[in-house]
Amino acid sequence: MDTDNDQEGETQGVKICGPPLEVNTAADTLATSLSLLGNHMFPDVVARKAAREDERAQDVPEEPPQDTEGSLSLQATEPESQEHQDDVADGTQSDSGEFVVTVLAKAKLEEQGLGVKGHSSPLLEVGIQESPPAAHGGSHRDEDVTAESWRRHRKHIFVLSEAGKPIYSRYGSEEALSSTMGVMMALVSFVQSGDNNIRSVYSEEHTVVFLQKGPLVLVCVSSSRQSEQQLRSELLYVYYQIISMLTQASISRIFEHKKNYDLRRLLAGSEKILDGLLDLMDSDPSFLLTAVHCLPLASSLRDSLSQILQKAITPNLVFSILIAKNQLLTVVQERAVIEDARLEPADIHLLLNLIGASSAFQAGEIWTPICLPLFNPDCYFYTYISYLDPPECTVCLLLLSTDKEAFYAVAECKRRIEEAMAAQGSLGLIAKAQTYSVSQVGVADLRHFMYKPFDVPDNHRQLTQFTSPEMEAPYHTEEEKMRLLDLYRYMHGRIHSNSRPLKLIYHVAERETLLAWVTSKFELYTCFSPLVTKACAITVITKLLRWIKKEEERLFIRYPPKYSTTPNPAKSSRGAKAEQTDSSDNGFLSLL
Amino acid sequence: MLMISPRMSSGMQEKQFTACLLNFFVYNPTFGPREGEEEKKILFYHPSDVEKNEKIRNVGLCEAIVQFTRTFCPTKPAKSLHTQKNRQFFFEPEENFWMVMVVRNPMIEKPNKDGKPPTIEYQEEEILDTVYGAVVKQCYSMYKLFNGTFSRAMDAGGVELLTQKLEKFFYRYLQTLHLQSCDLLDVFGGISFFPLDKMTYLKIQSFVNRVEENLSLIKYTAFLYNDQLIWSGLEQDDMRILYKYLTTSLFPRHSEPELAGRDSPLRPEVAGNLLHYGRFLTGPPNLKDPEAKFRFPKIFVSAEDGHEELHLIVYKAMSAAACFMVNASVDMTREFCEQLDGLVGPQLTLLASDICEQFTVNRRISGPEKEPQFKFIYFNHMNLAEKSTIHMRKTASVCLTSVHPDLMKILGDINCDFARVDEDEEIIVKAMTDYWVVGKKSDQRELYVILNQKNANLIEVNEEVKRLCATQFNNIFFLD
């Protein structure tokens, strides 16, 4: 019995904070699901011994972020993997004794009866012990779905399979909601049977938005008054987050083979990641703007960090990303890869959420497959994740490689980065870096803004970024923050309406005056005090644009550095930094 | 030699189709609760030739949608369903009675090469929910004006009578719905008032009093000039729907005879033996006709104890129209009509020419008609007063507007935005076509302005709207 549980646990990755899935039926269903998935490995995930004292470990143990089915097959190397795992385990234990490594293909081995001996991963043991529902005290999953409080949630999200099987619900357990989700699926297929597609339902208080993506149906029930377009894009983020853990190809394959497959088997434990994503989307305008927020940093410091990343490379390394306080510090990209496709802000958002949603990553070094859905929804990158400043864990390094065997090489890169940063005292400097106050702009009447410059021809393919100051009084309470964000969302929805886009919106209300403005060079949302005159607002914007121009080196990653890790020395010269032409100022005065 | 490829000649152009009515039905889910009895739920279905199972399916979907949304708010169920091809609007005017209107999205038909069937692209975001939601409500109000409530018919003759009444009313009424020209004015459902000086207004009031005194059967009176209301004794909501009926249906059908005399009003003495221009728009077309029937349409208006049924007598002289309402329990006779004609005809003719004179004076004062820099719509929720310089004269078939439909939709969007918060607001937007559109909400009033100056800047736009408010609205809009 124990072994069965172990097997299931390991194969599916994590079952820790998911609902108590038919644990006992493990053997049977597992066999089926495995046979479905065929010749693909299940990377066993993460695991760690440390951080048990972490509070979250008490009620919701950190689960590994994902539970994945590799898209690369691995027959030839399986036995080596086994050894590999042991090596790693031994080696690391002797080093620090507090981290674990994800071992790819372990599940595959188990499937063949090769794997699983005495030492299963500590995390999974924790998980199994804590998996009974009692462990989820206080979680939204326990909510009574017939209660008024459940109905009053601002935004419900449901994910279900085409067979109507629940996969995820933001509030309340999937079991309790299975009939509701059944109705949703029935509505979708009913409309479909009339050679039509359901899009949304409006009532006085709610907007219900449906999104069908492959074999998955995503439904949002929102009282937030966001536009349908915005709600649909949030559903798309949810879908992509699932893809980032499983890949699109494997999801289609699973459902092709078995229509009523219970995807929670593969996603168990990842509810927290989706929960985190939804909370983040409600509070972080990055998702709305599809742009990345960088931490303001002196350009010399940012350059030196970039250079450190640029030097610490190994073959097949594709992206080196450094983040602090959940904001981007710098990202260095493999030249050849970036010529094919560009790193989309959405992929970065999903990565950041994945890391932020689980304290498991704070435990040491993680090596795990992650799919960047906008980059390529069907394949994994092997991602090395490590915090550089334990125990605070604010500065995190991500190294993405295409080589699943590159753990050691990549870990070595991290060591070099760490050394170089120590030599330059970078961590101390990063710790001092902060978001800024709108008062630094130095104009009265301006309360807050969001500024998103568009790609300029010289550096197209650059990551879309935006800058925005802290929300300060009167937007310092959660409620007021949300109200301002809602106002921005409303302006954004109107100005980017699919059918009737606008160039400018000037909105005067009792509590504030807002302006949204889209030009070919930038997109700007500003919030003024309510009594500002139009003439004054225009002056403020003029000053604001000048200030941003002056500060742009600090606010944005101006010239994303590149490296070449493919053996092609001809291309390895430093990133050509085309001289930027100043353009943010051009002609805007006449437009307003 | 000129060769025309068959493809070219067969028209490779895209074809545009506007929004149109697909279905309209009324059902009551409690009428056929058991399986196999679903058809009994359906009280009216347009078009009637739809196959039975299809009707049942469509009604079933509406029921399911409504039920589904009750999971999240039991008291406020779905109002609309958006699909790729159409939109459905749900309205429950009386308990368990649902009216549903299905509108097909506008679409573009793109021809394909090689004989493949054309690709159809639905424009899913062109229809405004507020506009068509209001149209469905209007349908019910209009039914109720002429038939009373659904439950009244149920009480009087059960499902059979109700289905008859629905059939009879909606068969004709739905043909007059011109969905492609519905806009913000349908949301307001306002009344255009005729601006008058005090003297003329008092004249009209004393006319109404005199008539009501002499003909004591008359319970309510309303007075209109052209398509504008001057005086009404009815409740606001009743007047609003009666006004809609008069201006979009009854008057346009009877407008021709007046056209000749409108601008040169002839006094009765000038007109020789003709005493007046008065005539009945409802009831007998010619009193002298010995065969004349004295039947008037019946309407239902609100009363303290529910509803009261009235005869609707509409009497018109030149551009002035008076509506007299008499309790339906009284039979209308030739004597009464002759008495009314004799009393009202000459006076109304006189009043009509008085008003007309003032109308021309007003026009002269306001100076020669110059293409204004702006067009606007104004609506006051308190008295339902509405004013539009965007819409041309209404006709029976269409309500012509003088601006691009997209701009009208932007007005609709701004109207939705105002509904989000219950406070005074101002919204200025610049459309992709560079037109500026300004919306102002102050207290219960809303003003929407479309400016013609494309190169104006925000400050100039603001100045222009300020001027408009000062001249037209006595500065009732305060914000900035």
Side-chain angles (χ1 to χ4, degrees):
Chain A
M1 192 59 229
D2 271 338
T3 339
D4 278 352
N5 277 349
D6 271 356
Q7 276 201 0
E8 192 202 12
E10 301 214 11
T11 319
Q12 293 183 11
V14 207
K15 68 180 7 235
I16 298 131
C17 105
L21 281 180
E22 317 93 294
V23 177
N24 292 321
T25 63
D28 285 353
T29 32
L30 183 64
T32 342
S33 60
L34 283 176
S35 68
L36 278 177
L37 298 167
N39 234 350
H40 299 271
M41 72 226 172
F42 280 87
D44 168 8
V45 200
V46 197
R48 30 158 305 261
K49 288 175 183 166
R52 278 227 205 168
E53 55 283 338
D54 184 330
E55 270 188 15
R56 295 158 85 181
Q58 302 295 323
D59 32 286
V60 190
E62 300 84 341
E63 73 290 348
Q66 71 289 101
D67 171 19
T68 30
E69 185 224 346
S71 61
L72 305 171
S73 71
L74 184 76
Q75 288 99 325
T77 54
E78 274 157 17
E80 287 161 37
S81 289
Q82 178 74 51
E83 289 162 28
H84 193 157
Q85 174 210 352
D86 293 337
D87 290 352
V88 171
D90 293 343
T92 51
Q93 270 158 14
S94 62
D95 269 3
S96 68
E98 72 151 348
F99 66 78
V100 189
V101 176
T102 303
V103 180
L104 303 171
K106 189 169 168 192
K108 176 68 181 171
L109 300 178
E110 288 163 12
E111 184 196 0
Q112 297 175 352
L114 302 174
V116 194
K117 304 138 303 179
H119 71 295
S120 62
S121 96
L123 179 67
L124 289 165
E125 282 165 11
V126 171
I128 285 154
Q129 282 154 16
E130 295 192 0
S131 61
H136 316 306
S139 140
H140 286 307
R141 310 255 168 271
D142 291 345
E143 274 185 48
D144 175 4
V145 301
T146 56
E148 182 59 25
S149 58
W150 181 82
R151 290 194 202 109
R152 234 180 286 147
H153 283 299
R154 180 181 148 102
K155 199 182 286 167
H156 287 273
I157 302 282
F158 306 93
V159 182
L160 42 147
S161 73
E162 265 186 316
K165 280 230 171 178
I167 293 171
Y168 170 80
S169 164
R170 187 180 190 183
Y171 306 110
S173 75
E174 294 86 16
E175 283 84 0
L177 289 162
S178 63
S179 64
T180 304
M181 296 209 224
V183 172
M184 292 173 183
M185 193 56 234
L187 291 175
V188 169
S189 41
F190 188 90
V191 174
Q192 226 159 36
S193 69
D195 193 22
N196 198 350
N197 289 298
I198 192 167
R199 302 286 197 232
S200 56
V201 176
Y202 286 79
S203 70
E204 222 163 281
E205 298 204 334
H206 291 106
T207 306
V208 185
V209 177
F210 295 83
L211 174 70
Q212 196 164 10
K213 286 298 284 180
L216 302 188
V217 173
L218 299 97
V219 182
C220 166
V221 179
S222 162
S223 54
S224 68
R225 289 180 179 256
Q226 277 168 275
S227 75
E228 190 175 329
Q229 240 176 95
Q230 283 168 1
L231 293 172
R232 188 162 286 121
S233 89
E234 292 187 1
L235 287 178
L236 203 55
Y237 273 114
V238 172
Y239 172 73
Y240 284 143
Q241 189 81 72
I242 294 173
I243 291 300
S244 77
M245 300 182 266
L246 296 178
T247 76
Q248 189 167 273
S250 74
I251 289 180
S252 338
R253 203 163 42 234
I254 290 165
F255 286 105
E256 260 165 43
H257 283 86
K258 195 175 171 197
K259 272 228 163 338
N260 63 351
Y261 183 78
D262 187 347
L263 198 66
R264 283 181 303 171
R265 299 178 159 284
L266 293 177
L267 284 173
S270 60
E271 290 91 346
K272 216 167 97 186
I273 290 163
L274 297 179
D275 291 348
L277 175 73
L278 293 168
D279 292 343
L280 205 56
M281 283 197 288
D282 281 342
S283 63
D284 182 351
S286 310
F287 294 86
L288 178 72
L289 297 172
T290 37
V292 174
H293 198 187
C294 327
L295 192 66
L297 215 58
S299 62
S300 56
L301 176 56
R302 204 187 303 277
D303 288 347
S304 77
L305 291 172
S306 302
Q307 279 164 24
I308 290 171
L309 296 187
Q310 244 173 336
K311 281 174 191 155
I313 53 172
T314 180
N316 299 318
L317 195 62
V318 189
F319 297 113
S320 306
I321 301 169
L322 198 57
I323 56 178
K325 298 167 189 136
N326 255 314
Q327 293 177 23
L328 203 59
L329 285 176
T330 185
V331 49
V332 188
Q333 310 166 356
E334 155 60 37
R335 189 183 318 280
V337 170
I338 220 64
E339 272 163 18
D340 299 341
R342 101 188 209 165
L343 188 56
E344 293 290 334
D347 281 338
I348 301 236
H349 296 333
L350 297 173
L351 264 179
L352 292 188
N353 175 57
L354 210 61
I355 293 161
S358 174
S359 51
F361 292 116
Q362 298 180 3
E365 300 172 275
I366 304 292
W367 180 244
T368 182
I370 290 178
C371 166
L372 300 182
L374 284 107
F375 194 91
N376 183 344
D378 295 326
C379 77
Y380 283 120
F381 284 104
Y382 297 87
T383 306
Y384 176 92
I385 305 166
S386 178
Y387 281 93
L388 301 179
D389 60 341
E392 283 80 18
C393 291
T394 56
V395 181
C396 185
L397 175 70
L398 286 95
L399 301 170
L400 279 70
S401 167
T402 51
D403 178 6
K404 68 186 173 308
E405 300 295 330
F407 173 78
Y408 288 117
V410 173
E412 171 59 19
C413 292
K414 178 244 179 173
R415 205 189 46 74
R416 276 150 59 199
I417 290 166
E418 215 163 20
E419 271 174 22
M421 283 175 68
Q424 301 188 6
S426 311
L427 280 177
L429 296 170
I430 293 171
K432 279 188 215 133
Q434 286 172 359
T435 50
Y436 56 96
S437 158
V438 71
S439 61
Q440 289 178 28
V441 180
V443 279
D445 290 320
L446 181 66
R447 287 181 175 180
H448 191 258
F449 68 89
M450 302 192 296
Y451 175 86
K452 170 181 162 183
F454 289 132
D455 283 352
V456 281
D458 291 338
N459 59 350
H460 69 293
R461 296 197 176 284
Q462 170 164 353
L463 197 60
T464 313
Q465 301 164 54
F466 79 101
T467 186
S468 183
E470 287 286 321
M471 284 199 186
E472 291 163 277
Y475 309 105
H476 56 297
T477 65
E478 281 310 308
E479 203 185 352
E480 283 299 294
K481 238 179 225 177
M482 192 59 111
R483 198 176 63 79
L484 179 60
L485 276 175
D486 281 343
L487 288 167
Y488 282 149
R489 287 186 189 113
Y490 136 70
M491 306 262 278
H492 180 274
R494 280 284 179 243
I495 212 160
H496 290 292
S497 148
N498 279 338
S499 49
R500 292 178 292 284
L502 302 168
K503 286 183 172 174
L504 180 143
I505 304 174
Y506 189 86
H507 184 133
V508 187
E510 281 172 12
R511 285 188 273 181
E512 56 271 295
T513 292
L514 296 150
L515 179 131
W517 186 19
V518 176
T519 75
S520 57
K521 299 193 176 71
F522 61 82
E523 186 171 330
L524 175 68
Y525 301 84
T526 47
C527 172
F528 307 100
S529 53
L531 295 175
V532 74
T533 62
K534 280 153 193 120
C536 175
I538 288 171
T539 317
V540 169
I541 286 175
T542 312
K543 286 182 180 159
L544 171 63
L545 290 173
R546 280 197 195 120
W547 181 83
I548 292 170
K549 184 81 215 149
K550 190 168 74 84
E551 298 288 323
E552 66 185 356
E553 295 282 338
R554 197 168 66 84
L555 302 177
F556 301 106
I557 302 173
R558 294 305 307 284
Y559 314 104
K562 292 168 183 131
Y563 49 59
S564 287
T565 54
T566 42
N568 185 357
K571 276 189 160 184
S572 66
S573 69
R574 279 289 179 79
K577 296 178 185 179
E579 243 348 272
Q580 286 290 115
T581 49
D582 279 3
S583 46
S584 75
D585 223 283
N586 288 351
F588 68 80
L589 288 174
S590 59
L591 268 169
L592 249 186
Chain B
M1 201 171 78
L2 188 68
M3 294 275 288
I4 298 172
S5 106
R7 249 180 248 146
M8 295 281 285
S9 62
S10 66
M12 286 300 281
Q13 278 149 334
E14 295 180 351
K15 270 190 253 171
Q16 269 249 287
F17 297 88
T18 54
C20 69
L21 183 69
L22 276 187
N23 296 115
F24 189 99
F25 44 91
V26 181
Y27 70 92
N28 185 323
T30 61
F31 288 0
R34 263 164 295 179
E35 218 171 301
E37 290 183 345
E38 288 89 352
E39 202 184 1
K40 290 188 183 162
K41 293 175 188 174
I42 306 171
L43 300 168
F44 172 76
Y45 201 102
H46 164 87
S48 55
D49 56 1
V50 168
E51 201 250 323
K52 183 182 117 185
N53 283 332
E54 171 82 9
K55 289 181 187 171
I56 293 172
R57 269 177 61 90
N58 289 344
V59 168
L61 176 63
C62 298
E63 277 190 77
I65 294 279
V66 165
Q67 212 46 51
F68 167 65
T69 46
R70 285 206 162 117
T71 320
F72 298 94
C73 184
T75 51
K76 289 169 186 162
K79 293 170 91 178
S80 73
L81 164 69
H82 297 198
T83 68
Q84 179 199 9
K85 295 185 179 174
N86 59 51
R87 285 218 190 160
Q88 320 204 354
F89 299 91
F90 312 118
F91 179 46
E92 186 187 22
E94 296 173 38
E95 204 186 349
N96 289 323
F97 286 96
W98 286 87
M99 295 176 81
V100 180
M101 179 169 80
V102 187
V103 181
R104 196 203 58 210
N105 282 325
M107 56 184 200
I108 301 171
E109 198 183 271
K110 291 177 174 166
N112 271 322
K113 292 171 194 161
D114 311 322
K116 272 187 252 162
T119 316
I120 290 171
E121 202 173 273
Y122 289 91
Q123 295 173 298
E124 297 182 34
E125 285 168 61
E126 290 303 313
I127 290 177
L128 295 181
D129 274 13
T130 44
V131 170
Y132 292 93
V135 170
V136 180
K137 286 182 182 163
Q138 227 170 53
C139 287
Y140 173 72
S141 301
M142 202 61 95
Y143 169 88
K144 202 178 72 172
L145 178 69
F146 290 104
N147 297 280
T149 59
F150 294 157
S151 46
R152 185 184 166 274
M154 286 297 294
D155 294 343
V159 177
E160 205 174 319
L161 181 67
L162 178 58
T163 49
Q164 267 174 30
K165 278 180 172 292
L166 288 168
E167 192 69 44
K168 192 172 161 226
F169 176 79
F170 282 112
Y171 175 74
R172 288 239 326 259
Y173 185 70
L174 292 180
Q175 296 175 0
T176 68
L177 281 184
H178 292 273
L179 294 185
Q180 74 279 5
S181 56
C182 292
D183 62 29
L184 186 59
L185 286 193
D186 293 283
V187 176
F188 294 145
I191 295 170
S192 174
F193 287 92
F194 190 86
L196 266 186
D197 68 320
K198 269 208 187 81
M199 270 314 292
T200 326
Y201 185 77
L202 285 174
K203 271 189 202 167
I204 289 164
Q205 206 171 21
S206 82
F207 159 78
V208 170
N209 288 339
R210 232 174 8 249
V211 176
E212 286 186 354
E213 209 168 287
N214 284 303
L215 301 164
S216 55
L217 282 178
I218 294 171
K219 201 151 183 206
Y220 307 104
T221 308
F223 194 105
L224 294 90
Y225 188 82
N226 281 335
D227 280 344
Q228 293 181 297
L229 185 68
I230 294 177
W231 204 91
S232 160
L234 281 176
E235 288 287 326
Q236 240 176 34
D237 273 339
D238 291 323
M239 191 59 230
R240 152 191 261 178
I241 194 70
L242 179 61
Y243 175 82
K244 171 90 184 163
Y245 165 70
L246 295 172
T247 54
T248 61
S249 177
L250 187 69
F251 291 169
R253 276 188 271 137
H254 292 88
S255 63
E256 299 76 27
E258 272 82 20
L259 288 176
R262 187 185 305 143
D263 283 334
S264 55
L266 302 167
R267 303 260 163 184
E269 54 270 23
V270 186
N273 60 351
L274 199 59
L275 282 171
H276 60 79
Y277 285 96
R279 63 194 179 101
F280 287 94
L281 292 193
T282 60
N286 183 1
L287 277 180
K288 304 248 162 20
D289 179 358
E291 300 287 297
K293 295 246 165 42
F294 299 91
R295 275 210 307 264
F296 292 88
K298 286 182 188 154
I299 61 167
F300 293 77
V301 300
S302 49
E304 276 140 34
D305 50 345
H307 286 81
E308 63 180 320
E309 195 175 352
L310 304 164
H311 293 289
L312 174 65
I313 303 165
V314 184
Y315 190 90
K316 198 171 183 190
M318 297 190 286
S319 293
C323 305
F324 303 107
M325 285 149 268
V326 176
N327 197 303
S329 57
V330 181
D331 280 337
M332 290 289 90
T333 59
R334 174 181 292 271
E335 291 67 47
F336 178 80
C337 292
E338 280 172 353
Q339 210 185 341
L340 190 142
D341 184 56
L343 177 71
V344 174
Q347 293 190 46
L348 192 60
T349 309
L350 262 170
L351 274 175
S353 51
D354 277 359
I355 301 168
C356 179
E357 215 161 76
Q358 217 206 324
F359 186 63
T360 18
V361 170
N362 282 349
R363 250 216 313 240
R364 215 173 304 132
I365 293 168
S366 67
E369 285 273 324
K370 197 179 79 187
E371 177 71 4
Q373 292 295 323
F374 46 75
K375 290 184 170 144
F376 68 87
I377 293 179
Y378 165 84
F379 181 69
N380 183 339
H381 289 270
M382 281 177 293
N383 60 3
L384 305 183
E386 147 194 303
K387 192 170 179 183
S388 167
T389 61
I390 290 173
H391 296 75
M392 327 278 208
R393 244 180 97 85
K394 287 170 191 154
T395 68
S397 58
V398 277
C399 191
L400 290 168
T401 58
S402 51
V403 300
H404 192 274
D406 277 353
L407 286 175
M408 284 311 291
K409 284 174 192 158
I410 290 175
L411 297 188
D413 289 339
I414 295 177
N415 171 253
C416 292
D417 297 341
F418 282 155
R420 295 165 68 100
V421 212
D422 187 26
E423 48 184 58
D424 289 1
E425 288 184 310
E426 179 187 38
I427 298 176
I428 302 178
V429 308
K430 191 180 200 198
M432 292 313 269
T433 48
D434 284 335
Y435 278 103
W436 288 90
V437 180
V438 181
K440 275 171 178 272
K441 182 174 81 165
S442 180
D443 204 358
Q444 297 286 307
R445 303 175 180 90
E446 292 178 31
L447 173 69
Y448 301 86
V449 188
I450 297 174
L451 286 106
N452 274 338
Q453 303 119 300
K454 289 191 171 190
N455 341 321
N457 64 32
L458 191 60
I459 295 170
E460 288 161 351
V461 167
N462 194 45
E463 290 304 312
E464 195 65 48
V465 175
K466 261 189 195 163
R467 255 198 305 279
L468 168 72
C469 289
T471 55
Q472 300 264 346
F473 300 103
N474 272 325
N475 290 318
I476 48 179
F477 295 99
F478 302 113
L479 285 168
D480 190 12

